[in-house]
Amino acid sequence: MGAWGAGNFENDTALDWVRGLAESNDLSLVEVAISDVLNSSDYLDADLGCTGLAAAEVVAALRNKPVDDLPEDVSKWVETHRVAPSQGLVKDCLAAIDKIRNDETSELKELWEEDEDVATEWYSVLDDLVARLQ
């Protein structure tokens, strides 16, 4: 995972996922990203975590609570595709964030916890996302 910050769009994997979102016309890509996190049973790969968090950010943006550094491509997509995410999808986003943050099999959690200061910043980013989704 090439990352330059703790933000959910500050890594190569999330930005690659955003390119796919730009070509999407509905929430299916978002739903798949969240579902992939929730259905991961043995080992939660860092890439799945990154795309799951990016998808949750899209849901927050669709609920008119975007992160301050929302990529321009995501802003444009949200403006063009004004779909209201279901309460079920919001609930699934919150469950996916919890799994990425707390599951012992979460590679993303493991990577961020290699540096305590960076982990603290990452946990703050996740707390902010949860607050914007609730």
Side-chain angles (χ1 to χ4, degrees):
M1 172 184 78
W4 51 91
N8 291 321
F9 291 106
E10 293 180 332
N11 64 78
D12 293 331
T13 303
L15 293 182
D16 288 345
W17 181 84
V18 166
R19 282 190 214 99
L21 179 69
E23 299 172 11
S24 172
N25 289 320
D26 58 22
L27 285 174
S28 60
L29 194 66
V30 170
E31 292 166 343
V32 166
I34 297 300
S35 177
D36 285 349
V37 170
L38 295 176
N39 292 326
S40 175
S41 58
D42 292 335
Y43 184 73
L44 180 53
D45 183 78
D47 287 348
L48 290 180
C50 289
T51 57
L53 292 173
E57 288 285 6
V58 170
V59 172
L62 285 167
R63 292 170 52 94
N64 296 316
K65 296 179 181 179
V67 67
D68 290 338
D69 63 348
L70 191 69
E72 186 177 334
D73 289 346
V74 177
S75 290
K76 287 179 183 177
W77 190 90
V78 167
E79 288 173 20
T80 306
H81 302 85
R82 275 307 199 187
V83 266
S86 69
Q87 279 303 111
L89 180 56
V90 173
K91 181 180 172 186
D92 286 349
C93 287
L94 292 168
I97 295 165
D98 184 63
K99 184 171 182 174
I100 293 164
R101 177 186 188 130
N102 296 311
D103 196 302
E104 293 302 318
T105 68
S106 173
E107 182 184 24
L108 193 55
K109 172 188 172 184
E110 182 181 309
L111 291 171
W112 284 114
E113 287 188 342
E114 288 177 0
D115 181 324
E116 188 175 324
D117 292 334
V118 177
T120 300
E121 183 180 353
W122 183 65
Y123 285 125
S124 177
V125 167
L126 297 183
D127 289 344
D128 176 66
L129 176 55
V130 166
R132 286 182 288 109
L133 284 167
Q134 290 179 329

